Amino acid sequence: MYLEHFKLREFPFQLVPDADFLYMSDTHRHAKAYMDYTVWNHDGFVVITGEIGSGKTTLIEKLLSELDQSVVVAKIFQTQLDDVEFLQAVLVEFGLDPFSAKKVELLDMLNTYLMNEFSAGNQLVLIVDDAHNLSPRALEELRLLSGLETRKQKVLHVILAGQPQLNHMLETPELEQLLQRVRLRYHLTPLSLEQIRAYIVHRLEIAGRTGPPLFSEETYEMIYQYTGGIPRLINALCDTSLVCGYADDEQIIDNRVLKTAIKELQWQPYAKRPATRRTTAAIAARSDSTQGALREHARALLSVSRHLDQLHELIPALTSISVRMATIETQLRRIAEAGAAGGAQQSAGAPSGAAQDWTDVGAQEELPPGSRRAASAGGTNVVIFNIDGTFHALGNACTHDGSDLSAGEIRNGEIICPRDGARFSIKTGAALMPPDYRPLQIFPVRVEGGRIQVRNRHPE
């Protein structure tokens, strides 16, 4: 459109957040430093607030562009959620499938995932944009998640970004415990007149502008008057000005062109716009006598909620114990079955029959520790694992979805289904997560004359 006319490579004032165009004013530099500190110094919680269009989302995009692969990030941008929906959204961002689970199972699933990733040496970061839209119950779940820690450091680092009312929410009595966990808070202030000039020049240079200034010096005062230093409003006004200048075949944007753009947008000066009165009205509302009564009711409800949370916090531990007991029971049953099968084989004493019960799947040296191989034992597909010099064989296909486990990730003696992330013990075949999945088949393995042999399973 106007790119060639103004000698630009790309549009300099798009409203979509673009980290490449980010202008690091003093206030944005401070906010970015707080976010970096939370991620890289293992601090727990930071809250960044600012008016609509002040650059919060662009700062988040900048942070994300700088993280390496050891940082696992969950980004929540849709925040009009209740507590259960919020937990589901976090799990989805971490790559899990939470939609068939109840709240207790969601908490257990999330805690297990976080501890596993932390044990693997990964940084875990949860970023919530537009956090002012979260319900008090969802914010309380955030408090519980932020409390997950080892003896020395936090497991999950949280960055909340939102409009100024987020600060008012955090200061209410029912969220006092969450506020105590907030390590750093920073409010993005609007750009000054001088910063507006630098902001516009910076974006034009990124877009490829060279030569004389595109905006005349007289325009900056008017831009400040009608945008209040809010970057998104500056973008909207400058982009509209370029369109109007292009339509009038102007080479420089002066106040006449700027006034045409303001008329097209039907804007009032920023100080007269309704949005600027939002914060003042919110503060005044807090002093209303009705708010006092509401706070007393909130305190009573919070006390009841805390007692319920104490009971809820016991349920994941009990669930975890139940899963472990089921795993032990499965392992003991497999050991007993393997022993009985071995005794029957020895008592038979028939070499030809014994040879038919075992399938040779390759030489021992061809399967070094830490490796695996897909094979067939008596017509059944299996995967052979060498775990620290000990061989194990599992049924090759997940019975719950038919995925090929030979392509699954191995972690801490477990194999993870490549389709839905279900975990199974390589030693016992037990389903560790979700715990209600059927266990995989276990095949006895032995080494004879340097050859790996897998015992065939026969229909019962």
Side-chain angles (χ1 to χ4, degrees), residues 63-79:
L63 175 70
L64 293 175
S65 70
E66 296 174 352
L67 299 180
D68 58 39
Q69 294 183 350
S70 67
V71 182
V72 181
V73 182
K75 308 176 293 295
I76 308 297
F77 292 100
Q78 174 54 258
T79 52

Side-chain angles (χ1 to χ4, degrees), residues 2 18 23 32 39 95 114 214 235 243 251 271 297 306 319 326 338 391 432-433:
Y2 56 66
D18 188 340
Y23 169 70
K32 177 62 163 50
V39 174
L114 294 175
L214 182 52
N235 288 352
V243 173
Q251 296 300 317
H297 288 293
R306 287 172 178 167
T319 303
F391 296 95
L432 303 177
M433 190 185 77

Side-chain angles (χ1 to χ4, degrees), residues 34-63:
Y34 281 15
M35 296 164 71
D36 289 338
Y37 183 85
T38 297
V39 174
W40 300 115
N41 292 278
H42 304 278
D43 216 334
F45 225 114
V46 65
V47 175
I48 305 296
T49 56
E51 292 291 345
I52 300 171
S54 59
K56 302 181 295 295
T57 303
T58 308
L59 274 176
I60 291 173
E61 294 297 330
K62 179 66 172 177
L63 175 70

Side-chain angles (χ1 to χ4, degrees), residues 2 9 22 26 33 72 87 90 134 186 249 256 325 340 357 376 382 389 446:
Y2 56 66
R9 290 192 306 268
L22 177 62
D26 291 341
V72 181
L87 290 172
V90 173
L134 288 174
Y186 193 82
D249 198 26
R256 185 183 61 79
M325 292 296 294
D357 281 345
S376 176
V382 296
R446 71 183 184 187

Side-chain angles (χ1 to χ4, degrees), residues 268-337:
Q268 294 180 329
Y270 184 77
K272 296 182 180 180
R273 298 180 68 170
T276 62
R277 298 193 291 269
R278 181 181 58 238
T279 303
T280 303
I283 295 174
R286 295 177 63 200
S287 64
D288 192 281
S289 60
T290 307
Q291 293 294 322
L294 291 175
R295 286 197 188 101
E296 291 301 321
H297 288 293
R299 289 191 183 98
L301 291 173
L302 181 61
S303 177
V304 174
S305 174
R306 287 172 178 167
H307 285 88
L308 290 174
D309 285 338
Q310 290 174 355
L311 294 176
H312 283 310
E313 289 172 1
L314 292 175
I315 296 177
L318 295 174
T319 303
S320 179
I321 292 172
S322 175
V323 171
R324 287 175 171 82
M325 292 296 294
T327 301
I328 293 172
E329 181 182 354
T330 301
Q331 186 173 3
L332 291 174
R333 184 171 62 252
R334 298 299 184 190
I335 292 173
E337 290 176 354

Side-chain angles (χ1 to χ4, degrees), residues 235-253:
N235 288 352
L237 180 53
C238 289
D239 184 72
T240 305
S241 298
L242 292 177
V243 173
C244 293
Y246 168 73
D248 293 340
D249 198 26
E250 300 286 349
Q251 296 300 317
I252 299 295
I253 305 300

